[in-house]
Amino acid sequence: MSVREIFDNDNREIYRVRTHAAGPQGELPLTPDMLINRPSGDIFGMTMNAGMGWSPDELNRDGILLLSTLGGLRGPDGKPVALALHQGHYELDIQMKAAADVIKHNNALPYAVYVSDPCDGRTQGTTGMFDSLPYRNDASMVMRRLIRSLPDAKAVIGVATCDKGLPATMMALASQHDKATVLIPGGATLPALHGEDNGKVQTIGARFANGELSLQGARRAGCQACASSGGGCQFLGTAGTSQVVAEGLGLAIPHSALAPSGEPVWQEIARASARAALQLTRKGITTKDILTDKAFENAMMVHAAFGGSTNLLLHIPAIAHQAGCHIPTVEDWIRINKQVPRLVSVLPNGPVYHPTVNAFMAGGVPEVMLHLRSLGLLHEDVMTVTGNTLKENLDWWEQSERRQIFKELLFKQEQVAADDVIMSPQQAAKRGLTSTITFPVGNIAPEGSVIKSTAIDASVINEEGVYYHKGAAKVYLSEKAAIYDIKHDKIKAGDILVIIGAGPSGTGMEETYQVTSALKHLSYGKHVSLITDARFSGVSTGACIGHVGPEALAGGPIGKLRTGDIIEIKIDCKQLHGEVNFLGTDVDTILPSREEAAAILNARNTHPDLIPDPELPDDTRLWAMLQAVSGGTWRGCIYDVNKISEALQDYINKP
C-alpha cells in the first residue's frame, strides 16, 4: 500500500478544523485559602476536570478513585470494537459506571484509571507466560503510582477479576493504610448450557492428539465454552479464589465474589461497594483498620474451606506484605489447613463439578463463613468494608432474604440444592472431602513443595487417604518438551514427569497448566505424577507437586534428577503430610536407604543442559533476582525494598 492509498484525499471533512474553542463556562470553586495554601497541582487538576466537561462548581467535592483492570473496547450494543485479552476485564466498564453513578449521586467526584492485565489462559505454552507472575508486581507498582497521582483521594475502589490483575489490585489497595479501600470482584463467566467449562476446553489439543476427541468435537467445544462476555473462569482457579479471598479479608462486601457476570446482581454489587466506600470515608475507617493479622487468618480459612488455588500461597503473602501484616509461613498454612475442612464442591475439585456461579447462588463466602463460625474458627471481631464487624455481617446474612431467595433460585433454575454445593462440616465429612493443601518435603524438595491434595483423583487414593506412587522419572527441561511427548503418545500410565528449570530464575515461575490440564482430562492421566519447580494454574488437578524448593537453577536437588531415576511419592491427604524422594537409579536392584539416596543425589552435578529459558525476557530476569533477594516464593515473590537495598549496598561496598 502506497502513502497515497493510506490517506483518503476524498474526505473533505478533515479540513473543517478548529484551532481555538471557547473553553468551559463558569468558575472554579476556589477560595483565597486554596489559592495561597493548596499545591498548584490541586488547582490545575480542577482546570483539567473542567476541560473534560465536569460542572466547574462541583469540582471541590471529595475525590473517589476507581482503579480497574479494564481491557478492550465495547460498542453501545456491547459488541466488541476491539477485543480484550480476556473476558475478565472486558465488561468491567459496566461495574465502573454503576459505581461512578453512586459516587456522583452522593456528591463526590469519581475518577477512573486503568491498568489492564494479561490472560494466563491465552499465554499458556508461550513466552507470555514467563511474564505472568512478574506482571503482578509490576502492575501493583503502577497502580500504587496512579493512586499517589490523586493524592487527595478520599477512597480507592478496585475493580478487577482475573489471575494477576486481581492480586495486583489487592496488593495496591492493601498498601493504602490511611485511605478507605474497597474491592469489587468482577464475577464469573456464565457456563454454556451444553459446552465444556473453560478449564477443560483448554485441553482440546491434548485430547485430540491422543485420539480422545474428534476434530469436530474440538471445534465445537472450543467455540461454546464461554456463555457470557465478561467474568473470570467458571472454575475455582486463581481468579475465583482471589475473589473469595478478598471477601474473606473483609476487603469486599459480603456475597460479592463469583457473581454471574453481566447480571443485575453483578451490577448492584458495584453500586453497593461504592456506597460502602463512601460510608467508610464518613466513618474514618481505613485499610489498616480492616487488613489485620486476624483478617488474613480468616482469608486463609476461607481459602482452605473452598479448596482454593495454590497460587494464593504466592498472592496472600504479597498482599500481607503490602498491608504491613504478618506474612504467612508454611507452618501457618499447615496449621490452618489441618483445622479447616473443605466445604465447597465446585470445579476443579469436585466431588461434583459445579461451576463457581453455583457457589455464589448457594450463598458464597458468607455461607461458608457461617459454617466456619459454627466450628469456632473465625475471628469475628475484625472490621470489614461494610463498616461493621464480621460478626455483624454474618448475623445479617444468616437472617437475610437475599440468602434464602438465591438458594431457591439455584434449585429452581439448576435443580441443585444449595447444601450440595456448600456443605456443612458433617456433610463434607460424609462425602469424603479432605483438606486442601499438603506440603511435601524430602530429598528432592528439602525446602518444601506444594500439592493440592484435595484434587488428586479419588480412585488412586487408598482407604487410608494415601496416594502412593513409585516409578521411573522422565526429566524435561521445559514444559514444551513435556507437552510434546504427551501429544505424541510418549507418556504412559505409571510415569513420573519431572519438569526442571521452570522456577523464577528459569521461566519466571511459569504455570505448567498445559501439562496438568492434559493429565486431568486424559484417560490415563490420573496414573501419572508431576514434580516441578514451576507453579500451577488454580484449575490444575491430579498428583501435581510444584513450588519445589530450592529451584533447579538455584542448585536444588530437583535439578540433579535424570531420566530413569526412581522416585517415591507419598501424600497423606487426611493428615496433610507428604514426601517426595529420590530412591536410586535401578528399579531391579535393592535400593539404598533414603539417607544413602540423598547423598547420591546431592553428590551429583546439576543437569548439564539446565539453563534459563533462552527466551526469558530481561525484565523477568530482573524480577527473579529481586524476588529471590526478598525471600523467594515462600514469601510470595515480593519486593522487599529493605532487603534489596541491603544487598545492593553490600555489593557496592564489597572490596
Side-chain angles (χ1 to χ4, degrees), residues 185-436:
T189 305
L190 293 178
L193 285 172
H194 306 293
E196 298 180 348
D197 69 87
N198 52 11
K200 184 176 182 179
V201 79
Q202 294 181 52
T203 69
I204 55 177
R207 286 183 284 152
F208 173 77
N210 280 266
E212 298 188 11
L213 186 66
S214 69
L215 177 60
Q216 187 180 37
R219 288 172 169 172
R220 287 178 176 172
C223 183
Q224 296 175 346
C226 300
S228 65
S229 56
C233 291
Q234 303 135 342
F235 49 81
L236 197 68
T238 308
T241 306
S242 296
Q243 293 188 40
V244 303
V245 162
E247 200 175 322
L249 281 168
L251 194 61
I253 64 171
H255 201 222
S256 59
L258 309 176
S261 177
E263 298 301 293
V265 65
W266 174 81
Q267 296 186 47
E268 177 55 30
I269 286 167
R271 288 188 284 269
S273 298
R275 290 192 288 269
L278 292 165
Q279 179 171 258
L280 291 177
T281 63
R282 289 193 290 269
K283 289 187 173 183
I285 298 172
T286 66
T287 306
K288 66 184 177 186
D289 300 315
I290 294 168
L291 296 185
T292 62
D293 289 349
K294 287 182 178 180
F296 280 96
E297 284 223 342
N298 285 345
M300 292 166 71
M301 291 179 199
V302 169
H303 175 275
F306 269 85
S309 165
T310 55
N311 271 322
L312 273 293
L313 273 69
L314 299 168
H315 301 321
I316 288 177
I319 299 164
H321 172 70
Q322 291 296 332
C325 294
H326 168 72
I327 295 178
T329 64
V330 172
E331 291 73 26
D332 293 324
W333 285 105
I334 293 172
R335 169 175 56 82
I336 285 174
N337 275 270
K338 285 186 174 182
Q339 286 179 317
V340 179
R342 183 165 69 93
L343 305 175
V344 182
S345 180
V346 293
L347 289 160
N349 302 330
V352 179
Y353 298 126
H354 295 289
T356 48
V357 292
N358 283 11
F360 173 83
M361 301 293 286
V365 173
E367 194 71 20
V368 170
M369 290 184 118
L370 284 181
H371 290 306
L372 296 179
R373 175 164 77 170
S374 73
L375 297 172
L377 294 173
L378 291 174
H379 301 290
E380 291 190 80
D381 58 339
V382 296
M383 181 56 61
T384 74
V385 294
T386 65
N388 301 115
T389 65
L390 176 59
K391 181 182 185 305
E392 291 169 324
N393 290 348
L394 293 180
D395 288 345
W396 162 78
W397 177 256
E398 193 166 25
Q399 304 299 324
S400 71
E401 182 185 41
R402 181 186 180 107
R403 179 192 185 201
Q404 191 60 38
I405 291 176
F406 275 109
K407 288 184 178 185
E408 291 171 356
L409 285 171
L410 176 62
F411 189 80
K412 181 181 179 181
Q413 295 178 192
E414 302 292 331
Q415 292 73 57
V416 172
D419 57 5
D420 285 337
V421 182
I422 298 175
M423 306 173 202
S424 69
Q426 296 75 24
Q427 289 172 297
K430 287 180 182 177
R431 298 284 297 275
L433 273 66
T434 58
S435 296
T436 304

